[in-house]
């Protein structure tokens, strides 16, 4: 690849799996990813979703870091409106002290769940309005230059954990440019503003102590298999899973037939739109797609999200497209 590759691990809980199974798979994959040559693995904060177990990124990062040796691990991201900046500084400061040089902190302003979940977290939608000032407060704690008189982050102060702004709109692009921080665009599920946001970020970027030149990361979905038809069937299954995640409520699961009907409806076509940027096919086809997408997104790094529901194909996808492609499909 002409750009660095990272992995987004949502700690998906597959059909018939437990959360513990999901975490074990995440550790196994991270160990392999070190040998596969990936730059880092990101873990995203999601709440109230039975198929995603990454609700507490700092805790999951701690577990994976303790069971790996060198790969960078980051929150991609922490939804800062859900937390106090001091608490996040202490959490990621702790991680940075335990695993020096391996921890990254991506920040988003979305709630990471629905309105009821936001209320259960004791937050309000208005919390997102303070996102820019919260980022600056958090940055101050990590630099040992607290903006709150008499309050320091211990651990945290002086760790200078690298910050990244995550987003899917022009707001995040402008904020990242103004603060001189790397910008990660969530094109793996919200692709609409990708080109406009990246162009704005590069045009408006102001150098900072952390970053001298703009740095763009873009998300992209991937499924790779030696048999292209298997990969495309996994895409169809992934869309059915997305139907249940988005439209299933109170434990309701749709049958395959019901899910397919929803996919044919206007609401279902939203899912096709979410997967606009998806490399699906043989490893060679996906590799070529990623090369194209890197240029299209004007990206310095890609975050690949393996969306195959089948656990083995999920893992093998990441092996097939890894920077160290000479490895066997299973990474052994």
């Amino acid at each position: 690849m002409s750009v660095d590759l990272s992995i987004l691990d949502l700690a998906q809980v597959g059909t018939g799996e437990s959360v513990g199974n999901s975490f074990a798979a995440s550790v196994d994959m991270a160990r392999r990813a070190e040998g596969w040559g990936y730059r880092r693995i990101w873990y995203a904060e999601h709440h109230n979703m039975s198929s995603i177990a990454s609700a507490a990124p700092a805790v999951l990062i701690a577990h994976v870091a303790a069971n790996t040796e060198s790969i960078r691990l980051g929150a991609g991201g922490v939804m800062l409106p859900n937390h106090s900046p001091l608490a996040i500084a202490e959490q990621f400061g702790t991680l940075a002290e335990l695993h020096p040089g391996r921890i990254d902190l991506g920040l988003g302003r979305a709630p990471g769940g629905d309105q009821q979940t936001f209320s259960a977290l004791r937050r309000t939608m208005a919390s997102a309005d303070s996102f820019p000032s919260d980022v600056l407060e958090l940055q101050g704690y990590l630099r040992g230059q607290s903006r709150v008189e008499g309050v320091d982050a211990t651990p945290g102060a002086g760790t200078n954990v690298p910050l990244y702004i995550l987003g899917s709109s022009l707001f995040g692009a402008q904020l990242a440019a103004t603060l001189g921080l790397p910008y990660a665009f969530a094109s793996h599920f919200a692709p609409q503003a990708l080109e406009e946001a990246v162009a704005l970020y590069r045009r408006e970027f102001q150098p900072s102590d952390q970053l001298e030149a703009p740095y763009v990361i873009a998300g992209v979905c991937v499924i790779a298999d030696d048999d292209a038809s298997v990969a495309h069937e996994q895409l169809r299954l992934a869309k059915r899973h997305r139907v249940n995640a988005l439209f299933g409520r109170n434990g309701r699961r749709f049958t395959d037939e019901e899910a397919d009907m929803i996919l044919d409806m206007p609401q279902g076509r939203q899912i096709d739109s979410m997967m606009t940027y998806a490399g699906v096919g043989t490893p060679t086809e996906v590799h070529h797609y990623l090369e194209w997408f890197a240029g299209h997104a004007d990206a310095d790094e890609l975050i690949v999200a393996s969306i195959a529901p089948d656990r083995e194909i999920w893992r093998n996808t990441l092996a097939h497209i890894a920077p160290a492609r000479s490895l066997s499909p299973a990474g052994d």
Side-chain angles (χ1 to χ4, degrees):
M1 285 295 301
S2 58
V3 299
D4 286 327
L5 290 184
S6 298
I7 295 169
L8 174 63
D9 182 3
L10 293 175
Q12 295 186 73
V13 183
T15 303
E17 286 188 332
S18 67
V19 169
N21 294 148
S22 172
F23 291 155
S26 291
V27 170
D28 175 69
M29 186 272 287
R31 287 172 172 166
R32 295 169 184 267
E34 287 186 320
W36 291 340
Y38 284 97
R39 180 173 178 80
R40 65 183 131 230
I41 304 174
W42 301 93
Y43 302 92
E45 178 183 348
H46 289 279
H47 298 282
N48 196 30
M49 299 183 72
S50 61
S51 60
I52 296 179
S54 54
V59 180
L60 183 53
I61 289 171
H63 178 61
V64 176
N67 285 279
T68 52
E69 297 179 359
S70 59
I71 195 165
R72 297 188 72 91
L73 303 167
V78 163
M79 300 299 105
L80 196 53
N82 294 342
H83 313 276
S84 75
L86 177 61
I88 297 302
E90 291 168 339
Q91 290 172 19
F92 280 81
T94 299
L95 289 169
E97 295 287 3
L98 290 170
H99 308 284
R102 296 182 59 194
I103 304 301
D104 296 309
L105 176 51
L107 302 168
R109 67 171 181 147
D114 55 24
Q115 179 77 48
Q116 288 176 297
T117 302
F118 216 39
S119 297
L121 288 166
R122 301 299 189 266
R123 314 300 285 180
T124 69
M125 298 304 289
S127 300
D129 296 338
S130 62
F131 181 65
S133 60
D134 285 349
V135 172
L136 290 172
E137 183 180 337
L138 171 58
Q139 187 178 60
Y141 289 133
L142 293 171
R143 288 180 175 178
Q145 301 169 351
S146 176
R147 289 169 170 256
V148 181
E149 185 176 356
V151 179
D152 293 300
T154 305
T159 57
N160 293 301
V161 175
L163 299 183
Y164 299 74
I165 299 297
L166 280 62
S168 58
S169 70
L170 302 187
F171 177 90
Q174 183 66 68
L175 180 63
T178 300
L179 299 182
L181 296 175
Y183 180 54
F185 191 89
S187 37
H188 60 292
F189 74 87
Q192 288 76 13
L194 171 63
E195 294 172 86
E196 188 178 2
V198 170
L200 184 153
Y201 168 71
R202 289 194 178 279
R203 183 175 66 249
E204 302 292 333
F205 180 84
Q206 299 294 317
S208 67
D209 291 341
Q210 178 178 327
L211 194 64
E212 294 183 355
Y215 190 84
V216 172
I217 309 174
V220 57
C221 299
V222 288
I223 305 177
D225 192 88
D226 289 327
D227 185 340
S229 65
V230 171
H232 284 281
E233 174 62 16
Q234 284 290 299
L235 176 62
R236 187 166 69 94
L237 296 177
K239 289 180 178 180
R240 288 175 177 170
H241 280 257
R242 193 68 63 89
V243 167
N244 280 293
L246 292 179
F247 303 118
R249 290 292 183 269
N250 300 318
R252 165 78 187 276
R253 290 194 61 85
F254 298 102
T255 66
D256 290 348
E257 292 76 13
E258 290 171 334
D260 290 340
M261 289 178 61
I262 293 172
L263 287 169
D264 288 334
M265 298 168 63
Q267 299 94 320
R269 284 193 280 276
Q270 173 192 354
I271 292 174
D272 280 328
S273 177
M274 292 171 70
M275 296 184 180
T276 295
Y277 296 120
V280 181
T282 67
T284 298
E285 289 171 337
V286 175
H287 182 81
H288 289 326
Y289 181 87
L290 293 178
E291 288 282 10
W292 168 83
F293 178 72
H296 174 74
D298 195 12
D300 301 291
E301 178 180 336
L302 299 184
I303 301 175
V304 294
S306 178
I307 57 173
D310 181 279
R311 179 67 73 188
E312 184 176 0
I313 296 175
W314 168 79
R315 185 192 66 206
N316 286 351
T317 289
L318 298 171
H320 281 311
I321 64 172
R325 295 187 67 208
S326 60
L327 295 174
S328 67
D332 297 322

